[in-house]
Amino acid sequence: MDNQSFHHRLLALHYVMPIPLNRLKPLLQVDPDLEKCERMNIHQLSQLLKLTYDRAQKFKVAYVKALGTPLIQAYKTNNITPLPFNHPNYPKQLSTLYDPPTILYAKGCLDYLLMNYFVAVIGARDATDYSKDAMAYILPPLVKHDMVIVSGLAKGADAMAHQLTHELGGKTIGVLGHGHFHRYPKENLLLYNIMEKHHLTLSEYPPYVTSQKWHFPMRNRIISGLSQAVVVTEAKEKSGTVITLQHALDNGKDVYCVPGPITSMLSLGPNQSLLEGAKPVWNGFQIVEELQSRLFQK
Protein backbone atom coordinates (compact mmCIF):
# COMPACT_ATOMS: atom_id res chain seq x y z
CA MET A 1 0.00 0.00 0.00
CA ASP A 2 1.28 3.48 -0.93
CA ASN A 3 0.47 5.12 2.38
CA GLN A 4 0.59 8.67 1.03
CA SER A 5 -1.82 7.89 -1.80
CA PHE A 6 -4.13 5.99 0.54
CA HIS A 7 -4.03 8.93 2.97
CA HIS A 8 -5.03 11.31 0.16
CA ARG A 9 -7.92 9.11 -0.99
CA LEU A 10 -9.12 8.49 2.58
CA LEU A 11 -9.14 12.23 3.31
CA ALA A 12 -11.19 12.85 0.16
CA LEU A 13 -13.67 10.11 1.04
CA HIS A 14 -14.00 11.31 4.63
CA TYR A 15 -14.42 14.92 3.51
CA VAL A 16 -17.45 13.86 1.49
CA MET A 17 -18.80 11.32 3.98
CA PRO A 18 -17.40 11.62 7.55
CA ILE A 19 -18.43 8.22 8.90
CA PRO A 20 -16.88 6.01 11.63
CA LEU A 21 -14.52 3.20 10.67
CA ASN A 22 -17.04 0.40 11.24
CA ARG A 23 -19.22 1.82 8.44
CA LEU A 24 -16.23 2.10 6.12
CA LYS A 25 -14.86 -1.41 6.73
CA PRO A 26 -17.01 -3.23 4.12
CA LEU A 27 -15.54 -0.96 1.44
CA LEU A 28 -11.98 -1.36 2.76
CA GLN A 29 -12.33 -5.14 2.75
CA VAL A 30 -13.09 -5.04 -0.98
CA ASP A 31 -10.80 -2.11 -1.79
CA PRO A 32 -8.14 -1.84 0.97
CA ASP A 33 -6.10 0.82 -0.87
CA LEU A 34 -9.18 2.78 -2.06
CA GLU A 35 -7.81 2.51 -5.59
CA LYS A 36 -11.03 1.14 -7.12
CA CYS A 37 -13.61 3.24 -5.28
CA GLU A 38 -13.86 6.02 -7.87
CA ARG A 39 -14.44 3.45 -10.65
CA MET A 40 -16.94 1.23 -8.79
CA ASN A 41 -20.45 1.04 -10.17
CA ILE A 42 -23.16 2.81 -8.18
CA HIS A 43 -24.90 -0.40 -7.15
CA GLN A 44 -21.73 -1.80 -5.54
CA LEU A 45 -21.00 1.48 -3.73
CA SER A 46 -24.57 1.56 -2.52
CA GLN A 47 -24.24 -1.93 -1.01
CA LEU A 48 -20.80 -1.43 0.55
CA LEU A 49 -21.54 1.95 2.12
CA LYS A 50 -25.19 1.20 2.90
CA LEU A 51 -26.46 4.16 0.88
CA THR A 52 -29.52 4.54 -1.31
CA TYR A 53 -28.80 4.45 -5.04
CA ASP A 54 -29.29 8.22 -5.34
CA ARG A 55 -27.02 8.98 -2.39
CA ALA A 56 -24.35 6.60 -3.71
CA GLN A 57 -24.51 8.42 -7.04
CA LYS A 58 -24.04 11.81 -5.34
CA PHE A 59 -21.26 10.40 -3.18
CA LYS A 60 -19.28 9.20 -6.21
CA VAL A 61 -19.50 12.56 -7.97
CA ALA A 62 -18.45 14.43 -4.80
CA TYR A 63 -15.66 11.94 -4.04
CA VAL A 64 -14.10 12.28 -7.50
CA LYS A 65 -14.24 16.07 -7.12
CA ALA A 66 -12.65 15.88 -3.65
CA LEU A 67 -9.79 13.77 -5.06
CA GLY A 68 -8.78 16.81 -7.09
CA THR A 69 -8.87 19.13 -4.08
CA PRO A 70 -5.59 19.83 -2.22
CA LEU A 71 -7.05 18.92 1.19
CA ILE A 72 -3.71 18.18 2.85
CA GLN A 73 -2.40 21.64 1.96
CA ALA A 74 -5.65 23.27 3.11
CA TYR A 75 -5.46 21.53 6.49
CA LYS A 76 -1.78 22.42 6.84
CA THR A 77 -2.53 26.09 6.14
CA ASN A 78 -5.04 26.03 9.02
CA ASN A 79 -2.69 24.15 11.40
CA ILE A 80 -4.93 21.08 11.33
CA THR A 81 -3.29 17.64 11.27
CA PRO A 82 -5.44 14.71 10.07
CA LEU A 83 -4.68 11.47 11.92
CA PRO A 84 -6.15 8.49 10.01
CA PHE A 85 -6.81 5.25 11.88
CA ASN A 86 -3.45 3.86 10.68
CA HIS A 87 -1.39 6.91 11.74
CA PRO A 88 1.30 6.37 14.45
CA ASN A 89 -0.22 9.17 16.58
CA TYR A 90 -3.77 7.82 16.36
CA PRO A 91 -4.66 6.75 19.94
CA LYS A 92 -4.58 2.95 20.06
CA GLN A 93 -7.22 2.84 22.79
CA LEU A 94 -9.82 4.24 20.36
CA SER A 95 -9.40 1.22 18.07
CA THR A 96 -11.16 -0.91 20.69
CA LEU A 97 -14.40 1.04 20.24
CA TYR A 98 -17.23 -0.53 18.26
CA ASP A 99 -17.22 2.54 16.00
CA PRO A 100 -13.74 4.16 16.08
CA PRO A 101 -13.25 7.48 14.29
CA THR A 102 -11.92 6.96 10.78
CA ILE A 103 -9.86 10.14 11.07
CA LEU A 104 -9.12 12.48 13.96
CA TYR A 105 -8.46 16.09 13.00
CA ALA A 106 -6.01 17.53 15.53
CA LYS A 107 -5.01 21.10 16.28
CA GLY A 108 -2.32 21.92 18.82
CA CYS A 109 0.10 19.78 20.84
CA LEU A 110 0.08 16.40 19.07
CA ASP A 111 2.55 14.94 21.57
CA TYR A 112 -0.27 14.88 24.15
CA LEU A 113 -1.59 11.79 22.35
CA LEU A 114 1.61 9.91 23.23
CA MET A 115 1.22 10.40 26.99
CA ASN A 116 0.57 7.45 29.34
CA TYR A 117 -2.45 8.64 31.30
CA PHE A 118 -5.71 10.27 30.21
CA VAL A 119 -8.46 11.19 32.65
CA ALA A 120 -11.79 12.58 31.45
CA VAL A 121 -13.36 15.21 33.69
CA ILE A 122 -16.94 16.00 32.70
CA GLY A 123 -20.21 17.29 34.12
CA ALA A 124 -23.28 19.40 33.61
CA ARG A 125 -23.44 22.39 31.28
CA ASP A 126 -25.17 24.28 34.11
CA ALA A 127 -22.59 23.13 36.67
CA THR A 128 -22.39 25.12 39.89
CA ASP A 129 -19.47 26.21 42.06
CA TYR A 130 -19.67 22.74 43.62
CA SER A 131 -18.03 21.36 40.44
CA LYS A 132 -15.33 24.01 40.58
CA ASP A 133 -14.67 23.29 44.27
CA ALA A 134 -14.50 19.54 43.60
CA MET A 135 -12.04 20.03 40.75
CA ALA A 136 -9.80 22.07 43.04
CA TYR A 137 -9.30 18.85 45.07
CA ILE A 138 -9.21 16.42 42.14
CA LEU A 139 -7.20 18.09 39.35
CA PRO A 140 -3.96 19.23 41.07
CA PRO A 141 -2.72 15.67 41.86
CA LEU A 142 -3.57 14.56 38.31
CA VAL A 143 -1.67 17.47 36.79
CA LYS A 144 1.25 16.93 39.16
CA HIS A 145 1.54 13.33 37.90
CA ASP A 146 1.43 14.42 34.24
CA MET A 147 -2.03 13.04 33.49
CA VAL A 148 -3.79 14.59 30.50
CA ILE A 149 -7.24 15.98 31.30
CA VAL A 150 -9.82 15.23 28.60
CA SER A 151 -13.16 16.99 28.28
CA GLY A 152 -15.66 18.19 25.68
CA LEU A 153 -15.13 21.97 25.55
CA ALA A 154 -18.80 22.53 26.43
CA LYS A 155 -19.83 25.29 28.78
CA GLY A 156 -20.07 24.51 32.47
CA ALA A 157 -18.04 21.64 33.94
CA ASP A 158 -16.06 20.96 30.73
CA ALA A 159 -14.89 24.57 30.50
CA MET A 160 -14.01 24.54 34.22
CA ALA A 161 -11.86 21.42 33.76
CA HIS A 162 -9.95 22.83 30.76
CA GLN A 163 -9.46 26.24 32.37
CA LEU A 164 -8.25 24.94 35.73
CA THR A 165 -5.87 22.46 34.07
CA HIS A 166 -4.38 25.31 32.04
CA GLU A 167 -4.02 27.49 35.16
CA LEU A 168 -2.28 24.61 36.95
CA GLY A 169 0.22 24.25 34.09
CA GLY A 170 -1.17 20.88 33.03
CA LYS A 171 -2.12 19.31 29.71
CA THR A 172 -5.68 19.15 28.44
CA ILE A 173 -7.48 17.83 25.33
CA GLY A 174 -10.81 19.20 24.11
CA VAL A 175 -12.91 16.81 22.01
CA LEU A 176 -15.28 18.68 19.69
CA GLY A 177 -18.70 17.80 18.33
CA HIS A 178 -18.04 19.79 15.14
CA GLY A 179 -15.23 20.72 12.76
CA HIS A 180 -12.35 23.06 13.61
CA PHE A 181 -13.68 25.97 11.54
CA HIS A 182 -16.49 26.40 14.06
CA ARG A 183 -16.50 27.29 17.75
CA TYR A 184 -19.38 26.19 19.91
CA PRO A 185 -20.58 27.43 22.34
CA LYS A 186 -19.81 31.13 21.88
CA GLU A 187 -19.22 31.50 25.61
CA ASN A 188 -15.98 29.53 25.17
CA LEU A 189 -14.33 31.65 22.44
CA LEU A 190 -11.46 32.75 24.70
CA LEU A 191 -11.03 29.18 25.94
CA TYR A 192 -10.77 27.96 22.32
CA ASN A 193 -7.88 30.37 21.78
CA ILE A 194 -6.11 29.01 24.85
CA MET A 195 -6.74 25.39 23.85
CA GLU A 196 -5.49 25.80 20.28
CA LYS A 197 -2.41 27.78 21.32
CA HIS A 198 -1.30 25.82 24.39
CA HIS A 199 -3.10 22.45 24.35
CA LEU A 200 -4.91 20.15 21.89
CA THR A 201 -8.33 20.01 20.27
CA LEU A 202 -9.62 16.92 18.43
CA SER A 203 -12.58 16.27 16.15
CA GLU A 204 -13.68 13.31 14.08
CA TYR A 205 -15.37 15.74 11.67
CA PRO A 206 -13.76 17.61 8.76
CA PRO A 207 -13.28 21.32 9.54
CA TYR A 208 -16.37 22.55 7.65
CA VAL A 209 -18.86 20.43 9.65
CA THR A 210 -21.15 22.45 11.95
CA SER A 211 -22.41 21.25 15.33
CA GLN A 212 -25.49 19.03 15.26
CA LYS A 213 -27.43 17.57 18.17
CA TRP A 214 -26.46 13.97 17.36
CA HIS A 215 -22.74 14.82 17.14
CA PHE A 216 -22.37 15.19 20.90
CA PRO A 217 -23.16 11.59 21.89
CA MET A 218 -20.62 10.59 19.22
CA ARG A 219 -18.09 13.01 20.71
CA ASN A 220 -18.72 11.58 24.18
CA ARG A 221 -17.66 8.07 23.13
CA ILE A 222 -14.29 9.52 22.09
CA ILE A 223 -13.91 11.26 25.45
CA SER A 224 -14.49 8.03 27.36
CA GLY A 225 -12.66 5.88 24.79
CA LEU A 226 -9.54 8.01 24.99
CA SER A 227 -9.42 7.97 28.80
CA GLN A 228 -8.47 5.29 31.30
CA ALA A 229 -10.69 6.95 33.91
CA VAL A 230 -13.73 9.22 33.84
CA VAL A 231 -14.63 11.70 36.59
CA VAL A 232 -18.12 13.19 36.87
CA THR A 233 -18.71 16.19 39.11
CA GLU A 234 -22.37 17.11 38.61
CA ALA A 235 -25.03 15.76 36.23
CA LYS A 236 -28.77 15.39 36.00
CA GLU A 237 -30.18 11.88 36.19
CA LYS A 238 -30.81 11.70 32.43
CA SER A 239 -28.12 13.60 30.59
CA GLY A 240 -25.31 13.29 28.07
CA THR A 241 -22.84 13.16 30.95
CA VAL A 242 -24.54 10.10 32.43
CA ILE A 243 -24.59 8.45 28.98
CA THR A 244 -20.82 9.04 28.71
CA LEU A 245 -20.39 7.60 32.18
CA GLN A 246 -22.41 4.50 31.25
CA HIS A 247 -20.36 4.06 28.05
CA ALA A 248 -17.20 4.16 30.18
CA LEU A 249 -18.57 1.59 32.66
CA ASP A 250 -19.65 -0.71 29.81
CA ASN A 251 -16.14 -0.51 28.34
CA GLY A 252 -14.34 -1.37 31.57
CA LYS A 253 -13.07 2.11 32.39
CA ASP A 254 -12.63 3.38 35.94
CA VAL A 255 -15.52 5.73 36.66
CA TYR A 256 -15.40 8.15 39.58
CA CYS A 257 -18.26 10.32 40.78
CA VAL A 258 -18.21 13.22 43.18
CA PRO A 259 -20.92 12.48 45.78
CA GLY A 260 -23.32 15.41 45.95
CA PRO A 261 -25.90 16.91 48.28
CA ILE A 262 -29.25 15.15 48.08
CA THR A 263 -30.94 18.54 47.75
CA SER A 264 -29.37 19.17 44.32
CA MET A 265 -30.82 17.92 41.02
CA LEU A 266 -27.27 17.95 39.65
CA SER A 267 -26.25 15.31 42.19
CA LEU A 268 -28.82 12.78 41.00
CA GLY A 269 -26.63 11.53 38.14
CA PRO A 270 -23.44 10.96 40.16
CA ASN A 271 -25.26 9.60 43.23
CA GLN A 272 -27.26 7.11 41.15
CA SER A 273 -24.11 6.04 39.30
CA LEU A 274 -22.41 5.27 42.61
CA LEU A 275 -25.08 2.59 43.11
CA GLU A 276 -24.32 1.16 39.67
CA GLY A 277 -20.58 0.60 40.05
CA ALA A 278 -18.92 4.01 39.96
CA LYS A 279 -16.42 4.86 42.70
CA PRO A 280 -16.76 7.88 45.00
CA VAL A 281 -13.96 10.41 44.67
CA TRP A 282 -12.99 13.38 46.81
CA ASN A 283 -9.27 13.65 46.06
CA GLY A 284 -7.22 13.23 42.89
CA PHE A 285 -4.64 11.06 44.64
CA GLN A 286 -7.22 8.23 44.69
CA ILE A 287 -7.18 8.20 40.88
CA VAL A 288 -3.38 8.56 40.65
CA GLU A 289 -2.79 5.58 42.94
CA GLU A 290 -5.24 3.30 41.12
CA LEU A 291 -4.04 4.12 37.60
CA GLN A 292 -0.35 3.87 38.48
CA SER A 293 -0.80 0.60 40.38
CA ARG A 294 -2.65 -0.88 37.40
CA LEU A 295 0.15 0.12 35.02
CA PHE A 296 2.71 -1.36 37.43
CA GLN A 297 0.77 -4.67 37.51
CA LYS A 298 0.95 -4.89 33.71
Side-chain angles (χ1 to χ4, degrees), residues 11 36 38 41 43 45 70 121 141-142 254 270 290:
L11 283 177
K36 306 170 188 172
E38 66 207 84
N41 65 61
H43 179 70
L45 280 175
V121 179
L142 303 182
D254 287 332
E290 289 205 32

Side-chain angles (χ1 to χ4, degrees), residues 82-286:
L83 304 174
F85 64 91
N86 62 345
H87 192 282
N89 281 54
Y90 184 95
K92 293 180 177 61
Q93 58 268 41
L94 290 182
S95 62
T96 64
L97 293 175
Y98 164 73
D99 50 357
T102 298
I103 297 174
L104 284 174
Y105 299 88
K107 195 168 187 179
C109 302
L110 293 176
D111 58 320
Y112 282 15
L113 295 173
L114 303 177
M115 302 295 290
N116 290 323
Y117 300 106
F118 301 86
V119 178
V121 179
I122 57 175
R125 284 177 168 80
D126 51 351
T128 68
D129 284 345
Y130 185 67
S131 280
K132 193 177 289 185
D133 293 342
M135 289 181 197
Y137 284 90
I138 294 168
L139 289 183
L142 303 182
V143 169
K144 183 180 178 182
H145 287 81
D146 219 18
M147 297 186 176
V148 182
I149 305 305
V150 183
S151 202
L153 250 171
K155 65 181 181 179
D158 289 17
M160 292 175 188
H162 293 305
Q163 185 67 44
L164 181 55
T165 303
H166 174 69
E167 291 170 4
L168 292 168
K171 300 176 177 67
T172 183
I173 296 175
V175 184
L176 312 179
H178 48 80
H180 283 286
F181 289 167
H182 303 276
R183 293 184 172 189
Y184 175 85
K186 291 180 180 178
E187 294 94 325
N188 286 351
L189 289 181
L190 290 177
L191 183 57
Y192 269 92
N193 291 335
I194 291 171
M195 293 294 293
E196 291 181 356
K197 185 176 180 182
H198 300 287
H199 301 287
L200 178 67
T201 54
L202 293 176
S203 175
E204 67 175 318
Y205 302 105
Y208 70 87
V209 175
T210 58
S211 60
Q212 301 293 337
K213 200 172 183 179
W214 60 87
H215 289 174
F216 295 99
M218 297 295 286
R219 174 205 64 182
N220 292 348
R221 88 195 192 287
I222 296 177
I223 293 173
S224 69
L226 191 60
S227 308
Q228 289 104 337
V230 177
V231 178
V232 178
T233 56
E234 293 179 290
K236 292 177 181 174
E237 193 171 9
K238 294 180 180 178
S239 65
T241 300
V242 172
I243 292 171
T244 306
L245 185 154
Q246 194 58 55
H247 182 277
L249 282 172
D250 292 344
N251 285 275
K253 304 298 176 95
D254 287 332
V255 174
Y256 299 87
C257 288
V258 177
I262 61 174
T263 53
S264 171
M265 293 290 290
L266 292 176
S267 293
L268 286 177
N271 289 348
Q272 180 63 38
S273 297
L274 290 171
L275 289 175
E276 297 172 358
K279 303 171 186 178
V281 63
W282 53 89
N283 190 299
F285 285 110
Q286 297 169 258

Side-chain angles (χ1 to χ4, degrees), residues 32-97:
D33 298 332
L34 292 178
E35 291 179 337
K36 306 170 188 172
C37 182
E38 66 207 84
R39 298 188 300 276
M40 281 185 186
N41 65 61
I42 305 301
H43 179 70
Q44 188 177 17
L45 280 175
S46 172
Q47 285 189 321
L48 292 172
L49 294 174
K50 293 184 171 59
L51 300 173
T52 64
Y53 189 88
D54 286 346
R55 285 191 65 196
Q57 209 164 22
K58 289 175 182 175
F59 160 77
K60 185 173 181 178
V61 171
Y63 173 59
V64 171
K65 184 179 179 182
L67 284 172
T69 305
L71 290 173
I72 294 175
Q73 184 58 46
Y75 295 148
K76 189 175 181 181
T77 301
N78 288 280
N79 299 314
I80 296 168
T81 303
L83 304 174
F85 64 91
N86 62 345
H87 192 282
N89 281 54
Y90 184 95
K92 293 180 177 61
Q93 58 268 41
L94 290 182
S95 62
T96 64
L97 293 175

Side-chain angles (χ1 to χ4, degrees), residues 13-20 23 102 105 204-206 208-209:
L13 189 155
H14 199 254
Y15 185 85
V16 172
M17 197 168 66
I19 55 175
R23 281 197 58 198
T102 298
Y105 299 88
E204 67 175 318
Y205 302 105
Y208 70 87
V209 175

